[in-house]
Amino acid sequence: MRVPLRPRDIVALITVGVFAIAASGTHVVRSGETLGSIAQRNGTTVQALVDANGIANPNLIMAGTTLKIPGGGAAPSSSAAATHTVRSGDTLASIAARYGTTVSALASANGIANPNLIVVGRSLQVQGTARPVTTGAPSAPSSGGKQLAGQRHTVQYGDTIAGIAGRYGIRTADLVAWNGLVDGKIYATTRLVLFNPGSLPAIGGSTSTPGGTHVVQSGQTLGSIAGRYGVSASSIAKANGITNPNRIRIGQTLTIPGSTGSGGGGFVCPVPGSTFFNDWGFPRSGGRSHAGTDLFAPRGTPVRAPASGLVEIATGSIGGKQFRLTTSSGTKMYGSHLDAFGKTGQVNAGDVIGTVGDTGNARGSRPHLHFEVHPSGSAVNPFPLLYSSC
């Protein structure tokens, strides 16, 4: 007598069939799946899936589609697990990139309902390689080789800066300079340029200040005071014999040393006290990559003109409230997702030109300033400027 299949038996058979297909190098997309979850399950990357299947929009895949899994696509029997304690400035995206997993996987594993809201100090369960991609020991710049105009390399686990440079026959020092890798880290899925996109600008309109004094107000930090005057926090600490930069008193009179601007010849940190990391080149929808650096700070934190120049403002559906600052040398700097506008027209470095927010397509995310630098049309990585001045 033939026993009819129950619905749960059918589901089990379908599931077995999908695993069998996946193990043979293909995967049938099911409802609710993303390229990120499929990549993690099959031990590959989103970019590898995109390349293998000619996918134009990684955020749009249809249930029932059969995907080719690069490298055979056998699903790993297990993957290393780890925990990560959330630090100030962390986002699920930065944590996912560090450990080789996805935002959705982190949210699912930790019961996070709102991926844009994570609490500092919380321990997250991470399923992935449980280690960041490291640069490895830097090698001496190689001789010879040529830059590959317009080409990019998507960082994979196990990559090192020296290894990538050697693979394409370019100098390690050039790869570092072209991608602003001054902190010695690279992250999986980052798209590194293999050509010189343009040099970081020598910022025009130097912000020479004669020095003076400043009376500390409620809510101010040494960093915010430094940004206002275009000097470094360490120079103020040194001028005033401050051993602990985190301890200044309301009403305290500080000596402000004279300066010609901090970092990059006249460049001032646009959001003093913010947290950020080198997220230049991170993948975005539609095959794009991140063309700037996100500086995270509480909503309403003052955004200061990073250099002297002409400030124009606009509002758009993607960038929200935005500013464009053009220096005397022609360099353009863009800031997006402002909560409110500040001074416009001709400004001096350090003037308040807005406040940090989440307008545009950043609505609901952690408030931040998306910041870009364009010396001659194309964007360059602003991280080295921010690293030296913030």
Side-chain angles (χ1 to χ4, degrees):
M1 176 179 177
R2 184 175 182 179
V3 180
L5 291 175
R6 295 167 295 179
R8 65 183 181 185
D9 296 326
I10 296 173
V11 171
L13 286 174
I14 292 174
T15 302
V16 171
V18 169
F19 272 107
I21 291 172
S24 66
T26 60
H27 175 88
V28 178
V29 178
R30 292 173 293 176
S31 177
E33 287 189 318
T34 65
L35 279 189
S37 64
I38 295 169
Q40 184 184 32
R41 175 179 175 184
N42 290 278
T44 184
T45 66
V46 170
Q47 189 62 49
L49 287 174
V50 167
D51 293 342
N53 294 276
I55 297 172
N57 185 351
N59 297 312
L60 181 62
I61 55 174
M62 297 181 62
T65 302
T66 299
L67 298 179
K68 297 177 183 177
I69 306 298
S77 58
S78 64
S79 56
T83 58
H84 175 88
T85 301
V86 178
R87 296 170 295 178
S88 177
D90 276 351
T91 65
L92 277 193
S94 67
I95 297 169
R98 178 177 181 183
Y99 289 91
T101 183
T102 64
V103 170
S104 59
L106 280 175
S108 177
N110 294 278
I112 298 173
N114 183 354
N116 298 311
L117 182 62
I118 55 175
V119 180
V120 174
R122 177 177 176 180
S123 292
L124 299 180
Q125 294 298 313
V126 181
Q127 199 73 22
T129 60
R131 60 179 177 83
V133 179
T134 59
T135 60
S139 67
S142 59
S143 59
K146 60 181 180 179
Q147 65 183 52
L148 307 171
Q151 293 192 31
R152 290 171 168 79
H153 172 84
T154 300
V155 178
Q156 308 292 323
Y157 279 88
D159 278 352
T160 66
I161 292 177
I164 296 169
R167 174 178 175 181
Y168 293 99
I170 57 180
R171 300 194 320 153
T172 302
D174 287 339
L175 188 65
V176 167
W178 297 341
N179 291 279
L181 303 176
V182 296
D183 60 343
K185 297 186 181 75
I186 53 176
Y187 297 87
T189 73
T190 302
R191 298 180 70 197
L192 300 180
V193 297
L194 304 174
F195 60 98
N196 189 352
S199 302
L200 279 171
I203 305 301
S206 178
T207 59
S208 178
T209 59
T213 59
H214 175 88
V215 179
V216 178
Q217 307 297 316
S218 176
Q220 290 185 328
T221 66
L222 214 54
S224 65
I225 297 169
R228 174 175 179 177
Y229 291 96
V231 298
S232 66
S234 60
S235 67
I236 297 179
K238 183 177 180 180
N240 293 273
I242 298 174
T243 56
N244 185 348
N246 296 315
R247 296 188 64 181
I248 55 175
R249 303 186 311 276
I250 296 175
Q252 181 179 359
T253 299
L254 299 176
T255 298
I256 307 298
S259 173
T260 57
S262 60
F267 186 85
V268 171
C269 180
V271 188
S274 60
T275 57
F276 58 93
F277 73 110
N278 194 356
D279 52 350
W280 167 267
F282 274 34
R284 292 292 186 264
S285 61
R288 299 176 299 121
S289 58
H290 198 219
T293 297
D294 291 339
L295 295 94
F296 293 88
R299 183 186 306 278
T301 299
V303 174
R304 301 189 177 277
S308 297
L310 180 66
V311 168
E312 301 168 283
I313 59 175
T315 302
S317 59
I318 296 177
K321 294 181 178 178
Q322 312 156 65
F323 72 81
R324 179 178 69 184
L325 188 154
T326 305
T327 71
S328 59
S329 65
T331 294
K332 289 180 170 54
M333 303 181 189
Y334 298 88
S336 303
H337 310 310
L338 298 174
D339 193 55
F341 293 120
K343 187 176 180 180
T344 59
Q346 195 64 38
V347 302
N348 293 318
D351 286 348
V352 176
I353 57 175
T355 57
V356 172
D358 64 350
T359 56
N361 65 357
R363 179 66 66 189
S365 67
R366 288 181 57 208
H368 65 277
L369 175 73
H370 170 82
F371 182 68
E372 298 184 14
V373 176
H374 296 245
S376 56
S378 298
V380 298
N381 191 351
F383 183 75
L385 283 172
L386 298 169
Y387 187 83
S388 64
S389 65
C390 295

